[in-house]
Amino acid sequence: MARHEKALLRVSQWLDLSRSGRQEFIDTAQRVSSRQETTYTRYDEQYLQHLQQDVFTHDEVLSYLEEAGIGEDIVQDFSSGEIPFDEVYQSWNEIRYSVNEILDLTMLLKLVHSCSENPETLSQGIDSRYKFQKLVYLVNQELADQNRMDRDTAPYDHGKLEKTGFRYTYRMRSSGPFAKTLEEDKRRLYASNLIDEEVMAKVETPEINEENCRYRITLGRSGEVVMDRFASQLESLETEVLSDWEDAIDHVVLQFGHMTVEELHEYIMDLDPVKEAEDRDLLLRGRRVKYDSEPWITISAGGEIGHV
């Protein structure tokens, strides 16, 4: 994801659109922007002026806003090129997630943090989007392989993944296990400065969204604040459900975090469920949780926790 595209992500969440609505808004705006003669590669004042004057005033964007039920006053701001960017950016100093959701995303930060702290890892963070996807899969697979004292929910035998672990459902793709919703959440973490992505090398990986270059995933500024405050607490969790999740992350990072992409790919593709699967076959269902539940928690850029 180009860094300047954060502007569209920020505006879409400021509009309080649903996840699918945000993506449709971004796609519409990018489609309009791509028709312009000038190509913008930086997230700066010139690009924001381009959005205000050439993109947000376009009939396609305005029509989408009206269809999405956005208030007339905001649509008028778009039409007149008077988007309150200061308000948009201020709203993104406060990151809003539901309680259930923040557990999932915090554990993703924990995964990135653990890879950075692993002395056997050759680089800071996670050295590719490929490894990010596959480490999360291995964490869930480890939990699914662990027996529980109570009964599983028919018809699926998920072991401890019934009660803990990531919610992402994996299907077979050309790169092996892939979870679309994990990629979506990675983008949200990136847009919120909880993680950062940088081009590591002009070398592709087997991942379907890493065909031309490899990206390194590290904690962003806000993510570092969150981990500084909560990493030690995560390590001493007394709740069995969360401590099992924590232990699975630590074990997977220790066992696979140091592997090269090539080594990890060979291991993943040799797993029985993966070898037997065809394209888009279901490989592993994630923990089932509704993520639109109340209450909501906010995390400021300074790491302060609040309730909405």
Side-chain angles (χ1 to χ4, degrees):
M1 181 190 303
R3 186 173 294 274
H4 69 277
E5 292 177 11
K6 282 186 179 180
L8 294 176
L9 286 165
R10 293 182 176 186
V11 172
S12 68
Q13 187 148 354
W14 174 72
L15 289 169
D16 201 24
L17 296 167
S18 65
R19 174 176 292 186
S20 60
R22 290 197 300 268
Q23 191 58 55
E24 189 172 352
F25 170 80
I26 292 169
D27 290 344
T28 301
Q30 287 181 329
R31 186 167 58 250
V32 171
S33 179
S34 67
R35 298 177 190 145
Q36 309 296 325
E37 294 182 359
T38 304
T39 300
Y40 293 88
T41 58
R42 295 183 58 198
Y43 174 35
D44 55 14
E45 188 66 28
Q46 186 179 12
Y47 178 69
L48 297 183
Q49 290 179 358
H50 162 66
L51 292 180
Q52 264 188 322
Q53 299 171 7
D54 305 323
V55 178
F56 293 154
T57 58
H58 196 278
D59 288 343
E60 284 187 42
V61 174
L62 297 176
S63 295
Y64 170 75
L65 295 176
E66 292 173 352
E67 293 172 2
I70 301 301
E72 293 182 5
D73 54 338
I74 294 180
V75 175
Q76 181 58 41
D77 287 341
F78 273 71
S79 178
S80 58
E82 298 177 353
I83 306 300
F85 278 117
D86 289 344
E87 179 182 340
V88 172
Y89 296 152
Q90 184 177 8
S91 71
W92 270 70
N93 287 331
E94 188 175 73
I95 305 155
R96 179 180 295 192
Y97 300 115
S98 69
V99 171
N100 286 324
E101 193 171 25
I102 203 169
L103 281 174
D104 226 22
L105 300 181
T106 299
M107 286 301 194
L108 288 177
L109 297 182
K110 156 68 181 175
L111 177 66
V112 177
H113 176 76
S114 295
C115 285
S116 297
E117 296 295 312
N118 182 6
E120 295 188 21
T121 302
L122 298 179
S123 63
Q124 279 291 102
I126 300 175
D127 61 11
S128 64
R129 292 174 176 175
Y130 176 87
K131 184 177 286 187
F132 182 72
Q133 278 274 344
K134 277 40 178 184
L135 291 180
V136 172
Y137 172 77
L138 291 170
V139 169
N140 270 11
Q141 188 61 66
E142 177 161 322
L143 290 168
D145 289 340
Q146 296 178 15
N147 293 327
R148 287 173 38 226
M149 296 298 292
D150 51 336
R151 295 178 58 187
D152 289 296
T153 302
Y156 305 107
D157 180 9
H158 276 158
K160 289 186 176 179
L161 190 56
E162 285 277 347
K163 297 293 186 179
T164 187
F166 296 102
R167 76 187 189 280
Y168 310 112
T169 292
Y170 277 83
R171 293 186 177 275
M172 184 64 184
R173 302 296 297 274
S174 60
S175 62
F178 183 82
K180 181 180 178 182
T181 49
L182 172 57
E183 174 63 20
E184 293 170 353
D185 274 356
K186 179 181 67 65
R187 292 178 180 177
R188 294 180 64 200
L189 291 171
Y190 174 81
S192 303
N193 290 320
L194 286 165
I195 65 169
D196 199 5
E197 276 193 325
E198 61 177 317
V199 176
M200 187 176 176
K202 295 292 184 180
V203 179
E204 65 181 15
T205 75
E207 199 55 85
I208 59 177
N209 58 0
E210 206 168 29
E211 296 173 344
N212 298 316
C213 54
R214 183 176 301 184
Y215 294 83
R216 177 166 55 200
I217 299 171
T218 57
L219 291 178
R221 182 171 60 87
S222 296
E224 290 175 349
V225 172
V226 171
M227 283 294 98
D228 284 344
R229 296 193 62 186
F230 298 115
S232 60
Q233 297 178 36
L234 288 173
E235 292 173 359
S236 59
L237 289 171
E238 297 181 0
T239 304
E240 182 179 358
V241 167
L242 294 180
S243 63
D244 287 341
W245 194 352
E246 160 87 8
D247 290 345
I249 289 175
D250 288 340
H251 182 257
V252 165
V253 169
L254 184 62
Q255 186 174 0
F256 303 102
H258 66 280
M259 285 187 176
T260 65
V261 168
E262 293 74 20
E263 291 170 339
L264 185 58
H265 184 60
E266 182 178 356
Y267 175 84
I268 290 287
M269 299 305 286
D270 197 45
L271 295 173
D272 287 339
V274 177
K275 286 194 297 185
E276 298 167 2
E278 297 182 0
D279 188 43
R280 300 187 184 275
D281 279 357
L282 175 66
L283 288 172
L284 186 64
R285 291 183 183 271
R287 173 175 52 89
R288 296 182 178 184
V289 175
K290 290 185 178 179
Y291 280 80
D292 56 356
S293 58
E294 298 290 349
W296 290 81
I297 286 178
T298 60
I299 301 180
S300 72
E304 295 300 317
I305 304 297
H307 299 273
V308 178

